[in-house]
Amino acid sequence: SSMQPLRYGYDGPSDKSQIVFDGESDNMDSDANAPFGSGELSFFFVSRQNLGTASSQVLFSMNRNDTTVFTVAYKLTSIIATATGSANQVSSSVAIPAGVTEWNIGYCQLKMNSATNYSVIVSINGGAETSISGTFQNTDYSTAPFQIGCTQAAAANTGFFGGYISEIIGYDKVINSDEKTQVLTYLNNKYKIY
């Protein structure tokens, strides 16, 4: 028998489905409210940005009004997760180790420490977590629309993302380390990023 060559090579995330965002107006908005209501959240995302820019490029957000927002965004060579509620803000960021235009598997979490204290946790490509804690009003995101590729301010879309998104996985809870490892392993086996 003869050896047949592979018809298609494997090129990591480029072989997978992805949505391209132009950084100017492309976005996806949910028609209904986000299915996240507990105030605690965990997200995984597979993405890459086109350009490292000084302004935030929002991967996704939940915005109940201009004072209650959860966003995950690229900014220069970092990924930043920010929770804003009742004029208080908690934000955590992690440097992108592979370079500004490389694919990344990101993880972020909004975790309640007490009724008015939350931690925002971020990691990238299975690396160490960065965590910042602060005062934050307990938030129910079940009345917030879920937006991909931008956020809203003063009823207008802003912070448009320029790049590629292959996958976003969200949980309406804080996941434990075993669950996090399972999802990261699944995503890295699928996309071969790190």
Side-chain angles (χ1 to χ4, degrees), residues 42 44 107-109 111 121 123 126-129 171 173-186 194:
S42 299
F44 297 85
Y107 167 74
C108 63
Q109 186 177 83
K111 178 181 179 183
I121 301 162
S123 70
E129 293 180 347
Y171 295 91
K173 67 175 191 168
V174 171
I175 63 170
N176 64 40
S177 60
D178 288 342
E179 292 169 320
K180 177 185 172 186
T181 299
Q182 288 174 351
V183 178
L184 287 174
T185 299
Y186 158 76
Y194 63 91

Side-chain angles (χ1 to χ4, degrees), residues 41 59 62 76 78 80-81 96 104 115 128 139 142 148 182:
L41 308 166
L59 281 170
M62 289 176 289
L76 294 175
S78 296
I80 303 167
I96 301 169
N104 296 288
T139 301
S142 65
I148 300 174
Q182 288 174 351

